PDB file of all heavy atoms in Angstrom:
ATOM      1  N   LEU A   1       6.801   5.768 -50.163  1.00 98.00           N
ATOM      2  CA  LEU A   1       6.281   7.048 -49.664  1.00 98.00           C
ATOM      3  C   LEU A   1       4.876   7.317 -50.299  1.00 98.00           C
ATOM      4  O   LEU A   1       3.994   7.846 -49.598  1.00 98.00           O
ATOM      5  CB  LEU A   1       7.253   8.192 -49.999  1.00 98.00           C
ATOM      6  CG  LEU A   1       8.571   8.165 -49.246  1.00 98.00           C
ATOM      7  CD1 LEU A   1       9.409   9.419 -49.656  1.00 98.00           C
ATOM      8  CD2 LEU A   1       8.421   8.089 -47.774  1.00 98.00           C
ATOM      9  N   TYR A   2       4.709   7.020 -51.532  1.00 97.00           N
ATOM     10  CA  TYR A   2       3.445   7.195 -52.213  1.00 97.00           C
ATOM     11  C   TYR A   2       2.403   6.364 -51.544  1.00 97.00           C
ATOM     12  O   TYR A   2       1.252   6.838 -51.253  1.00 97.00           O
ATOM     13  CB  TYR A   2       3.528   6.846 -53.679  1.00 97.00           C
ATOM     14  CG  TYR A   2       2.202   6.762 -54.351  1.00 97.00           C
ATOM     15  CD1 TYR A   2       1.421   7.864 -54.576  1.00 97.00           C
ATOM     16  CD2 TYR A   2       1.783   5.534 -54.847  1.00 97.00           C
ATOM     17  CE1 TYR A   2       0.176   7.790 -55.171  1.00 97.00           C
ATOM     18  CE2 TYR A   2       0.538   5.419 -55.479  1.00 97.00           C
ATOM     19  CZ  TYR A   2      -0.256   6.533 -55.632  1.00 97.00           C
ATOM     20  OH  TYR A   2      -1.487   6.462 -56.205  1.00 97.00           O
ATOM     21  N   ARG A   3       2.694   5.133 -51.300  1.00 95.00           N
ATOM     22  CA  ARG A   3       1.711   4.248 -50.616  1.00 95.00           C
ATOM     23  C   ARG A   3       1.416   4.679 -49.209  1.00 95.00           C
ATOM     24  O   ARG A   3       0.324   4.527 -48.720  1.00 95.00           O
ATOM     25  CB  ARG A   3       2.232   2.792 -50.648  1.00 95.00           C
ATOM     26  CG  ARG A   3       2.435   2.168 -52.009  1.00 95.00           C
ATOM     27  CD  ARG A   3       1.201   2.071 -52.835  1.00 95.00           C
ATOM     28  NE  ARG A   3       0.264   1.146 -52.276  1.00 95.00           N
ATOM     29  CZ  ARG A   3       0.185  -0.203 -52.513  1.00 95.00           C
ATOM     30  NH1 ARG A   3       1.084  -0.713 -53.340  1.00 95.00           N
ATOM     31  NH2 ARG A   3      -0.729  -0.947 -51.919  1.00 95.00           N
ATOM     32  N   GLU A   4       2.419   5.284 -48.552  1.00 94.00           N
ATOM     33  CA  GLU A   4       2.223   5.755 -47.163  1.00 94.00           C
ATOM     34  C   GLU A   4       1.476   7.072 -47.066  1.00 94.00           C
ATOM     35  O   GLU A   4       0.596   7.223 -46.202  1.00 94.00           O
ATOM     36  CB  GLU A   4       3.632   5.898 -46.530  1.00 94.00           C
ATOM     37  CG  GLU A   4       3.598   6.133 -45.049  1.00 94.00           C
ATOM     38  CD  GLU A   4       3.359   4.870 -44.206  1.00 94.00           C
ATOM     39  OE1 GLU A   4       3.427   3.752 -44.754  1.00 94.00           O
ATOM     40  OE2 GLU A   4       3.164   5.046 -42.997  1.00 94.00           O
ATOM     41  N   PHE A   5       1.768   7.982 -47.942  1.00 94.00           N
ATOM     42  CA  PHE A   5       1.237   9.380 -47.796  1.00 94.00           C
ATOM     43  C   PHE A   5       0.248   9.734 -48.903  1.00 94.00           C
ATOM     44  O   PHE A   5      -0.480  10.726 -48.751  1.00 94.00           O
ATOM     45  CB  PHE A   5       2.374  10.387 -47.811  1.00 94.00           C
ATOM     46  CG  PHE A   5       3.334  10.175 -46.728  1.00 94.00           C
ATOM     47  CD1 PHE A   5       4.739  10.002 -46.996  1.00 94.00           C
ATOM     48  CD2 PHE A   5       2.990  10.125 -45.365  1.00 94.00           C
ATOM     49  CE1 PHE A   5       5.666   9.829 -46.032  1.00 94.00           C
ATOM     50  CE2 PHE A   5       3.947   9.952 -44.392  1.00 94.00           C
ATOM     51  CZ  PHE A   5       5.262   9.823 -44.687  1.00 94.00           C
ATOM     52  N   GLY A   6       0.251   8.952 -50.009  1.00 94.00           N
ATOM     53  CA  GLY A   6      -0.703   9.235 -51.086  1.00 94.00           C
ATOM     54  C   GLY A   6      -0.346  10.435 -51.961  1.00 94.00           C
ATOM     55  O   GLY A   6      -1.206  10.899 -52.738  1.00 94.00           O
ATOM     56  N   ASP A   7       0.855  10.961 -51.864  1.00 96.00           N
ATOM     57  CA  ASP A   7       1.278  12.098 -52.686  1.00 96.00           C
ATOM     58  C   ASP A   7       1.676  11.643 -54.032  1.00 96.00           C
ATOM     59  O   ASP A   7       2.680  10.928 -54.208  1.00 96.00           O
ATOM     60  CB  ASP A   7       2.406  12.831 -51.980  1.00 96.00           C
ATOM     61  CG  ASP A   7       2.778  14.144 -52.728  1.00 96.00           C
ATOM     62  OD1 ASP A   7       2.419  14.340 -53.845  1.00 96.00           O
ATOM     63  OD2 ASP A   7       3.459  14.973 -52.031  1.00 96.00           O
ATOM     64  N   PRO A   8       0.925  12.017 -55.105  1.00 97.00           N
ATOM     65  CA  PRO A   8       1.281  11.553 -56.443  1.00 97.00           C
ATOM     66  C   PRO A   8       2.613  12.002 -56.925  1.00 97.00           C
ATOM     67  O   PRO A   8       3.165  11.374 -57.830  1.00 97.00           O
ATOM     68  CB  PRO A   8       0.163  12.091 -57.309  1.00 97.00           C
ATOM     69  CG  PRO A   8      -0.476  13.205 -56.537  1.00 97.00           C
ATOM     70  CD  PRO A   8      -0.281  12.871 -55.101  1.00 97.00           C
ATOM     71  N   ALA A   9       3.166  13.050 -56.352  1.00 98.00           N
ATOM     72  CA  ALA A   9       4.487  13.527 -56.752  1.00 98.00           C
ATOM     73  C   ALA A   9       5.556  12.433 -56.455  1.00 98.00           C
ATOM     74  O   ALA A   9       6.558  12.272 -57.195  1.00 98.00           O
ATOM     75  CB  ALA A   9       4.882  14.776 -56.084  1.00 98.00           C
ATOM     76  N   TYR A  10       5.344  11.706 -55.373  1.00 98.00           N
ATOM     77  CA  TYR A  10       6.273  10.622 -55.052  1.00 98.00           C
ATOM     78  C   TYR A  10       6.170   9.486 -56.054  1.00 98.00           C
ATOM     79  O   TYR A  10       7.210   8.930 -56.454  1.00 98.00           O
ATOM     80  CB  TYR A  10       6.010  10.135 -53.637  1.00 98.00           C
ATOM     81  CG  TYR A  10       6.351  11.061 -52.538  1.00 98.00           C
ATOM     82  CD1 TYR A  10       5.600  11.122 -51.303  1.00 98.00           C
ATOM     83  CD2 TYR A  10       7.427  11.913 -52.602  1.00 98.00           C
ATOM     84  CE1 TYR A  10       5.943  12.010 -50.331  1.00 98.00           C
ATOM     85  CE2 TYR A  10       7.788  12.800 -51.637  1.00 98.00           C
ATOM     86  CZ  TYR A  10       7.036  12.848 -50.457  1.00 98.00           C
ATOM     87  OH  TYR A  10       7.325  13.693 -49.471  1.00 98.00           O
ATOM     88  N   LEU A  11       4.974   9.154 -56.493  1.00 98.00           N
ATOM     89  CA  LEU A  11       4.826   8.121 -57.515  1.00 98.00           C
ATOM     90  C   LEU A  11       5.492   8.546 -58.834  1.00 98.00           C
ATOM     91  O   LEU A  11       6.098   7.800 -59.547  1.00 98.00           O
ATOM     92  CB  LEU A  11       3.355   7.768 -57.743  1.00 98.00           C
ATOM     93  CG  LEU A  11       3.072   6.706 -58.778  1.00 98.00           C
ATOM     94  CD1 LEU A  11       3.743   5.381 -58.424  1.00 98.00           C
ATOM     95  CD2 LEU A  11       1.553   6.492 -58.921  1.00 98.00           C
ATOM     96  N   ASP A  12       5.262   9.866 -59.162  1.00 98.00           N
ATOM     97  CA  ASP A  12       5.876  10.379 -60.411  1.00 98.00           C
ATOM     98  C   ASP A  12       7.369  10.219 -60.339  1.00 98.00           C
ATOM     99  O   ASP A  12       8.034   9.858 -61.345  1.00 98.00           O
ATOM    100  CB  ASP A  12       5.463  11.828 -60.598  1.00 98.00           C
ATOM    101  CG  ASP A  12       3.991  12.012 -60.938  1.00 98.00           C
ATOM    102  OD1 ASP A  12       3.341  11.030 -61.327  1.00 98.00           O
ATOM    103  OD2 ASP A  12       3.505  13.157 -60.771  1.00 98.00           O
ATOM    104  N   PHE A  13       7.954  10.500 -59.198  1.00 98.00           N
ATOM    105  CA  PHE A  13       9.421  10.422 -59.126  1.00 98.00           C
ATOM    106  C   PHE A  13       9.885   8.982 -59.186  1.00 98.00           C
ATOM    107  O   PHE A  13      10.871   8.666 -59.842  1.00 98.00           O
ATOM    108  CB  PHE A  13       9.911  11.077 -57.853  1.00 98.00           C
ATOM    109  CG  PHE A  13      11.442  11.262 -57.822  1.00 98.00           C
ATOM    110  CD1 PHE A  13      11.986  12.285 -58.566  1.00 98.00           C
ATOM    111  CD2 PHE A  13      12.264  10.413 -57.126  1.00 98.00           C
ATOM    112  CE1 PHE A  13      13.396  12.484 -58.561  1.00 98.00           C
ATOM    113  CE2 PHE A  13      13.634  10.567 -57.111  1.00 98.00           C
ATOM    114  CZ  PHE A  13      14.217  11.589 -57.839  1.00 98.00           C
ATOM    115  N   SER A  14       9.158   8.067 -58.607  1.00 98.00           N
ATOM    116  CA  SER A  14       9.446   6.667 -58.698  1.00 98.00           C
ATOM    117  C   SER A  14       9.441   6.191 -60.165  1.00 98.00           C
ATOM    118  O   SER A  14      10.280   5.462 -60.622  1.00 98.00           O
ATOM    119  CB  SER A  14       8.455   5.842 -57.870  1.00 98.00           C
ATOM    120  OG  SER A  14       8.835   4.451 -57.843  1.00 98.00           O
ATOM    121  N   LYS A  15       8.472   6.731 -60.916  1.00 98.00           N
ATOM    122  CA  LYS A  15       8.397   6.351 -62.338  1.00 98.00           C
ATOM    123  C   LYS A  15       9.550   6.963 -63.129  1.00 98.00           C
ATOM    124  O   LYS A  15      10.005   6.357 -64.107  1.00 98.00           O
ATOM    125  CB  LYS A  15       7.049   6.776 -62.891  1.00 98.00           C
ATOM    126  CG  LYS A  15       5.903   5.959 -62.362  1.00 98.00           C
ATOM    127  CD  LYS A  15       4.549   6.376 -62.954  1.00 98.00           C
ATOM    128  CE  LYS A  15       3.404   5.481 -62.443  1.00 98.00           C
ATOM    129  NZ  LYS A  15       2.076   5.893 -63.002  1.00 98.00           N
ATOM    130  N   ARG A  16      10.013   8.151 -62.736  1.00 98.00           N
ATOM    131  CA  ARG A  16      11.172   8.725 -63.383  1.00 98.00           C
ATOM    132  C   ARG A  16      12.390   7.844 -63.134  1.00 98.00           C
ATOM    133  O   ARG A  16      13.218   7.617 -64.020  1.00 98.00           O
ATOM    134  CB  ARG A  16      11.456  10.130 -62.821  1.00 98.00           C
ATOM    135  CG  ARG A  16      10.701  11.244 -63.513  1.00 98.00           C
ATOM    136  CD  ARG A  16      10.979  12.563 -62.865  1.00 98.00           C
ATOM    137  NE  ARG A  16      12.368  12.921 -62.809  1.00 98.00           N
ATOM    138  CZ  ARG A  16      12.864  13.956 -62.096  1.00 98.00           C
ATOM    139  NH1 ARG A  16      12.038  14.698 -61.325  1.00 98.00           N
ATOM    140  NH2 ARG A  16      14.188  14.223 -62.112  1.00 98.00           N
ATOM    141  N   VAL A  17      12.519   7.338 -61.931  1.00 98.00           N
ATOM    142  CA  VAL A  17      13.645   6.408 -61.599  1.00 98.00           C
ATOM    143  C   VAL A  17      13.502   5.147 -62.433  1.00 98.00           C
ATOM    144  O   VAL A  17      14.494   4.687 -63.009  1.00 98.00           O
ATOM    145  CB  VAL A  17      13.655   6.127 -60.135  1.00 98.00           C
ATOM    146  CG1 VAL A  17      14.667   5.037 -59.807  1.00 98.00           C
ATOM    147  CG2 VAL A  17      13.949   7.366 -59.293  1.00 98.00           C
ATOM    148  N   ALA A  18      12.279   4.656 -62.543  1.00 98.00           N
ATOM    149  CA  ALA A  18      12.051   3.403 -63.354  1.00 98.00           C
ATOM    150  C   ALA A  18      12.388   3.673 -64.805  1.00 98.00           C
ATOM    151  O   ALA A  18      12.987   2.772 -65.434  1.00 98.00           O
ATOM    152  CB  ALA A  18      10.625   2.901 -63.180  1.00 98.00           C
ATOM    153  N   ALA A  19      12.064   4.811 -65.318  1.00 98.00           N
ATOM    154  CA  ALA A  19      12.437   5.131 -66.691  1.00 98.00           C
ATOM    155  C   ALA A  19      13.959   5.127 -66.924  1.00 98.00           C
ATOM    156  O   ALA A  19      14.385   4.609 -67.935  1.00 98.00           O
ATOM    157  CB  ALA A  19      11.852   6.460 -67.110  1.00 98.00           C
ATOM    158  N   ARG A  20      14.636   5.666 -65.944  1.00 98.00           N
ATOM    159  CA  ARG A  20      16.093   5.627 -66.022  1.00 98.00           C
ATOM    160  C   ARG A  20      16.626   4.208 -65.965  1.00 98.00           C
ATOM    161  O   ARG A  20      17.579   3.809 -66.682  1.00 98.00           O
ATOM    162  CB  ARG A  20      16.690   6.476 -64.907  1.00 98.00           C
ATOM    163  CG  ARG A  20      18.188   6.611 -64.881  1.00 98.00           C
ATOM    164  CD  ARG A  20      18.745   7.378 -66.034  1.00 98.00           C
ATOM    165  NE  ARG A  20      20.152   7.559 -65.900  1.00 98.00           N
ATOM    166  CZ  ARG A  20      21.006   7.746 -66.920  1.00 98.00           C
ATOM    167  NH1 ARG A  20      20.502   7.829 -68.128  1.00 98.00           N
ATOM    168  NH2 ARG A  20      22.277   7.917 -66.740  1.00 98.00           N
ATOM    169  N   LEU A  21      16.017   3.398 -65.066  1.00 98.00           N
ATOM    170  CA  LEU A  21      16.436   1.997 -64.994  1.00 98.00           C
ATOM    171  C   LEU A  21      16.234   1.262 -66.285  1.00 98.00           C
ATOM    172  O   LEU A  21      17.123   0.539 -66.714  1.00 98.00           O
ATOM    173  CB  LEU A  21      15.526   1.324 -63.927  1.00 98.00           C
ATOM    174  CG  LEU A  21      16.112   1.119 -62.499  1.00 98.00           C
ATOM    175  CD1 LEU A  21      15.028   0.485 -61.636  1.00 98.00           C
ATOM    176  CD2 LEU A  21      17.402   0.286 -62.473  1.00 98.00           C
ATOM    177  N   LEU A  22      15.110   1.442 -66.939  1.00 98.00           N
ATOM    178  CA  LEU A  22      14.804   0.737 -68.169  1.00 98.00           C
ATOM    179  C   LEU A  22      15.710   1.232 -69.283  1.00 98.00           C
ATOM    180  O   LEU A  22      16.177   0.453 -70.122  1.00 98.00           O
ATOM    181  CB  LEU A  22      13.336   0.936 -68.549  1.00 98.00           C
ATOM    182  CG  LEU A  22      12.325   0.395 -67.530  1.00 98.00           C
ATOM    183  CD1 LEU A  22      10.900   0.528 -68.120  1.00 98.00           C
ATOM    184  CD2 LEU A  22      12.592  -1.061 -67.197  1.00 98.00           C
ATOM    185  N   ALA A  23      16.058   2.539 -69.245  1.00 98.00           N
ATOM    186  CA  ALA A  23      16.947   3.054 -70.256  1.00 98.00           C
ATOM    187  C   ALA A  23      18.392   2.482 -70.089  1.00 98.00           C
ATOM    188  O   ALA A  23      19.109   2.354 -71.102  1.00 98.00           O
ATOM    189  CB  ALA A  23      17.047   4.585 -70.159  1.00 98.00           C
ATOM    190  N   LYS A  24      18.769   2.170 -68.861  1.00 98.00           N
ATOM    191  CA  LYS A  24      20.129   1.651 -68.642  1.00 98.00           C
ATOM    192  C   LYS A  24      20.238   0.112 -68.788  1.00 98.00           C
ATOM    193  O   LYS A  24      21.326  -0.460 -68.735  1.00 98.00           O
ATOM    194  CB  LYS A  24      20.552   2.008 -67.196  1.00 98.00           C
ATOM    195  CG  LYS A  24      20.846   3.460 -66.995  1.00 98.00           C
ATOM    196  CD  LYS A  24      21.157   3.769 -65.563  1.00 98.00           C
ATOM    197  CE  LYS A  24      22.484   3.238 -65.097  1.00 98.00           C
ATOM    198  NZ  LYS A  24      23.643   3.855 -65.727  1.00 98.00           N
ATOM    199  N   ALA A  25      19.099  -0.519 -68.995  1.00 98.00           N
ATOM    200  CA  ALA A  25      19.120  -1.963 -69.073  1.00 98.00           C
ATOM    201  C   ALA A  25      19.653  -2.491 -70.362  1.00 98.00           C
ATOM    202  O   ALA A  25      19.588  -1.795 -71.392  1.00 98.00           O
ATOM    203  CB  ALA A  25      17.675  -2.528 -68.896  1.00 98.00           C
TER     204      ALA A  25
END
């Protein structure tokens, strides 16, 4: 969605998800 629409809020949420992923690894 970030690449499609350019809304940085979508990239921020993707990074929140990635942070959770790394914490669960």
Side-chain angles (χ1 to χ4, degrees):
L1 293 183
Y2 168 66
R3 299 296 295 270
E4 189 79 9
F5 303 123
D7 186 341
Y10 290 146
L11 180 59
D12 290 344
F13 193 76
S14 186
K15 290 180 177 179
R16 274 176 58 190
V17 172
R20 181 68 174 155
L21 263 177
L22 298 185
K24 289 174 69 68

